[in-house]
Amino acid sequence: MPSALQGKVALVTGASSGIGEATARMLAAEGAAVAIAARRVERLHALRDQLTAAGAKVHVLDLDVTDEQAVHAAVAETVETLGGLDVVVNNAGLMLLGPVEGADTSDWTRMIDTNVRGLMYVTHAALPHLLRSQGVVVQMSSIAGRVAMRGAAVYNASKFAVNAFSEALRQEVTERGVRVVVIEPGTVETELREHITHAPTKAAITERVAKIRQLQSEDIAEAVRYAVTAPPHATVAEIFVRPTDQA
């Protein structure tokens, strides 16, 4: 049987590690040509080499999603190089947790710029192509987009924004054949926590997650696969996945 995404073109941001890398691997395995985007280009080159050795068509994009002009150029390059655009996975993101009091507000700026504005920029640039192909945009949100918790105020705010933006977008484009999917993982074993700059918060979350069986990046890639391979008349609008052990 042909692969589910044979002949399709996908763009994955934040593809240099974790969920983004696992998702790129899954899309390639399903037959899609994949544009992989991130700032750590050396990792993208290694991933490209592995995927092309397995027979996939892969294009590397050196991309900072907070640069709107660069985002539009990357989308245009994807379409020109790979021949179209059918699936976008907005995975690039930061999780810089810590209390509001005494916060380094540069962390807030980085999170809002990446998690919200970057996702919006990619969606905006890709939308004309997705409307033509009646494609799918997958927005990587979080359990933090559902439940606000102390020590995560701005991260919560960024993910609540992703959910609200995505639902409004869905209402705008669903009758024109574009499907908008929100994925909301709980605790996943990735590099995301390594970038937390507030030492007490980083220590506390590291201790907490060590006590549970965390989700793996492949678990979330499987959720993406389920959503993007659904029949065109069915939109898997939201998938919430969390570890069994996470209360």
Side-chain angles (χ1 to χ4, degrees):
M1 294 180 64
S3 299
L5 298 176
Q6 197 70 44
K8 303 294 186 181
V9 175
L11 167 62
V12 183
T13 68
S16 59
S17 67
I19 293 170
E21 178 183 344
T23 298
R25 291 183 184 279
M26 176 277 299
L27 293 167
E30 290 290 347
V34 184
I36 50 176
R39 293 177 295 174
R40 296 181 292 186
V41 182
E42 70 287 348
R43 292 194 178 192
L44 296 180
H45 287 157
L47 177 59
R48 177 198 59 195
D49 293 346
Q50 293 171 24
L51 295 180
T52 54
K57 187 174 183 180
V58 181
H59 183 64
V60 169
L61 295 166
D62 182 356
L63 179 62
D64 178 352
V65 297
T66 69
D67 183 336
E68 185 175 8
Q69 290 186 331
V71 166
H72 278 269
V75 169
E77 185 176 329
T78 298
V79 172
E80 181 178 356
T81 304
L82 299 180
L85 188 57
D86 304 279
V87 178
V88 171
V89 181
N90 271 310
N91 172 71
L94 294 170
M95 187 181 71
L96 305 175
L97 305 182
V100 173
E101 182 182 6
D104 178 352
T105 58
S106 67
D107 281 354
W108 298 358
T109 301
R110 290 172 62 202
M111 273 195 294
I112 296 300
D113 282 352
T114 303
N115 297 2
V116 183
R117 290 172 57 201
L119 176 143
M120 291 178 176
Y121 290 157
V122 175
T123 302
H124 179 251
L127 194 56
H129 306 288
L130 296 175
L131 285 165
R132 280 193 288 272
S133 65
Q134 294 194 321
V136 187
V137 58
V138 179
Q139 317 284 43
M140 200 59 63
S141 183
S142 169
I143 185 175
R146 285 176 172 240
V147 182
M149 294 183 65
R150 60 187 299 169
V154 179
Y155 183 65
N156 282 135
S158 74
K159 293 303 184 178
F160 270 71
V162 167
N163 288 9
F165 173 79
S166 301
E167 171 56 19
L169 175 67
R170 186 197 66 79
Q171 294 177 29
E172 291 183 20
V173 300
T174 188
E175 292 178 334
R176 299 165 71 184
V178 173
R179 293 176 290 167
V180 180
V181 179
V182 175
I183 309 288
E184 298 161 309
T187 301
V188 184
E189 188 175 5
T190 70
E191 298 176 3
L192 204 59
R193 292 185 297 273
E194 295 178 10
H195 305 289
I196 297 172
T197 60
H198 187 259
T201 298
K202 186 175 183 179
I205 194 170
T206 299
E207 181 181 1
R208 185 165 69 249
V209 302
K211 299 175 182 177
I212 67 172
R213 295 168 295 171
Q214 300 175 65
L215 296 170
Q216 300 301 303
S217 297
E218 292 75 16
D219 298 324
I220 308 308
E222 177 61 21
V224 176
R225 185 205 62 79
Y226 173 70
V228 301
T229 60
H233 69 276
T235 296
V236 182
E238 187 177 22
I239 301 180
F240 182 25
V241 187
R242 62 177 156 196
T244 304
D245 300 340
Q246 186 171 359

